[in-house]
């Protein structure tokens, strides 16, 4: 197995056409879902929700978001094996803060030799998370944008991870997020969709982007070493 992550970073490309006859095996799909769960986020806030469409009906529902304004994106949604909708939280409640803290406790994050130390660790984490959130909520007034950024980070990890699993992906902002929100009742659930990622196996004949060389600015332009 090739563990050279650069190999996958180079191999990953925006797939322009999928082989509709190929389906991601369940075991691999489970790994993809686990990638979504394992992504880092600032203060471990995990301000996201995902909709995974793998049936023709499910994918057709997602494709409603491209039909009018972005029809060039529709075939990839129908023909990919799976499509993931990346949605971001609209607001954070006290209950949600408590839910994350409880999960961290269950996962053993605060385990300590005494109850006092455990309580101190737990209270410290809760306070730090709320402090960061409030910097964005009350100070910078960009809490929603800040949460969106966490979701995009997840998307990046997801695509590289999918490439390492031998899969092809297409990130798409060419979707009408209002249509998606409506279709899946996302706003009522406290989320809004940001983008989608199609995942599957490309059609080597039709996926013209696979044969094109990658184009990126040189390091001398984008990086400063000090
Ligand atoms: C957030 C995001 C949204 C994108 N939206 C679309 C899209 O709607 N349709 C599409 O064909 N490509 C889309 N792209 C693909 C980009 O054009 C592509 O990543 C870029 O040109 C670099 O090429 P590469 O991914 O093949 O390396 C998107 C990429 C990103 C990261």
């Amino acid at each position: 197995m090739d563990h050279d992550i650069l190999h996958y970073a180079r191999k990953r490309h925006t797939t322009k056409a999928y082989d509709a006859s190929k389906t991601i095996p369940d075991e691999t799909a489970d790994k993809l879902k686990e990638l979504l769960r394992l992504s880092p986020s600032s203060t471990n806030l995990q301000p996201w929700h995902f909709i995974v469409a793998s049936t023709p009906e499910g994918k057709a529902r997602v494709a409603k978001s491209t039909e009018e304004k972005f029809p060039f994106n529709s075939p990839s949604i129908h023909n990919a094996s799976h499509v993931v909708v990346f949605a971001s939280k609209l607001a954070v409640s006290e209950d949600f803060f408590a839910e994350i803290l409880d999960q961290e406790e269950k996962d053993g994050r605060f385990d300590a030799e005494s109850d006092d130390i455990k309580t101190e660790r737990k209270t410290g984490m809760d306070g730090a998370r709320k402090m960061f959130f409030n910097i964005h909520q009350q100070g910078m007034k960009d809490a929603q944008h800040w949460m969106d950024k966490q979701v995009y980070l997840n998307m990046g990890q997801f695509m590289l991870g999918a490439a390492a699993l031998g899969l092809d992906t297409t990130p798409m902002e060419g979707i009408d997020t209002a249509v998606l929100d409506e279709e899946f009742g996302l706003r009522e659930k406290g989320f809004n969709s940001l983008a989608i990622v199609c995942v599957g196996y490309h059609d080597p004949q039709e996926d013209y982007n696979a044969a094109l060389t990658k184009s990126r600015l040189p390091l001398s332009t984008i990086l400063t070493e000090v």
Side-chain angles (χ1 to χ4, degrees):
M1 193 178 150
D2 191 345
H3 289 286
D4 180 3
I5 199 66
L6 273 184
H7 164 80
Y8 297 111
R10 290 196 180 100
K11 189 166 177 290
R12 187 215 57 77
H13 66 281
T14 293
T15 294
K16 298 292 180 179
Y18 286 87
D19 180 341
S21 70
K22 290 191 181 161
T23 306
I24 298 172
D26 288 346
E27 196 191 318
T28 309
D30 288 346
K31 288 183 185 172
L32 286 175
K33 290 173 203 163
E34 195 61 0
L35 271 175
L36 295 172
R37 205 172 73 88
L38 288 173
S39 177
S41 55
S42 184
T43 70
N44 203 25
L45 189 66
Q46 304 162 73
W48 44 54
H49 190 78
F50 310 100
I51 294 166
V52 178
S54 58
T55 59
E57 299 75 31
K59 288 181 269 183
R61 289 179 70 187
V62 177
K64 286 184 189 172
S65 67
T66 53
E67 276 156 16
E68 201 185 321
K69 295 185 192 159
F70 312 97
F72 54 89
N73 274 334
S74 301
S76 289
I77 297 175
H78 292 291
N79 295 334
S81 170
H82 286 56
V83 180
V84 183
V85 177
F86 286 75
S88 169
K89 258 191 179 297
L90 295 169
V92 174
S93 64
E94 278 300 323
D95 282 355
F96 187 65
F97 280 125
E99 188 181 339
I100 306 170
L101 199 64
D102 284 351
Q103 185 68 52
E104 289 170 337
E105 183 172 15
K106 264 189 239 147
D107 291 333
R109 295 286 298 180
F110 312 125
D111 286 358
E113 46 286 8
S114 77
D115 281 351
D116 281 355
I117 298 175
K118 185 174 180 176
T119 305
E120 197 182 301
R121 285 184 184 167
K122 190 176 167 184
T123 313
M125 185 65 218
D126 192 37
R129 183 155 39 232
K130 287 176 177 165
M131 183 196 78
F132 269 98
F133 184 76
N134 283 331
I135 287 174
H136 290 280
Q137 176 89 325
Q138 284 153 22
M140 298 167 76
K141 307 215 181 296
D142 70 344
Q144 226 181 302
H145 183 56
W146 180 61
M147 291 192 280
D148 292 352
K149 289 190 280 189
Q150 314 307 321
V151 179
Y152 269 79
L153 186 61
N154 192 315
M155 217 187 300
Q157 162 157 315
F158 180 77
M159 289 192 288
L160 186 59
L165 289 168
L167 302 170
D168 296 307
T169 52
T170 314
M172 284 184 188
E173 279 180 334
I175 54 162
D176 188 331
T177 54
V179 170
L180 266 188
D181 292 352
E182 176 76 25
E183 178 64 30
F184 294 104
L186 278 167
R187 286 187 170 261
E188 297 86 299
K189 292 173 188 146
F191 296 92
N192 65 169
S193 58
L194 301 177
I196 67 170
V197 177
C198 304
V199 205
Y201 301 92
H202 80 151
D203 176 337
Q205 263 76 53
E206 299 296 323
D207 179 17
Y208 61 88
N209 203 31
L212 288 173
T213 54
K214 220 172 244 317
S215 171
R216 294 293 191 268
L217 296 170
L219 277 182
S220 57
T221 305
I222 64 157
L223 184 146
T224 302
E225 286 202 74
V226 292

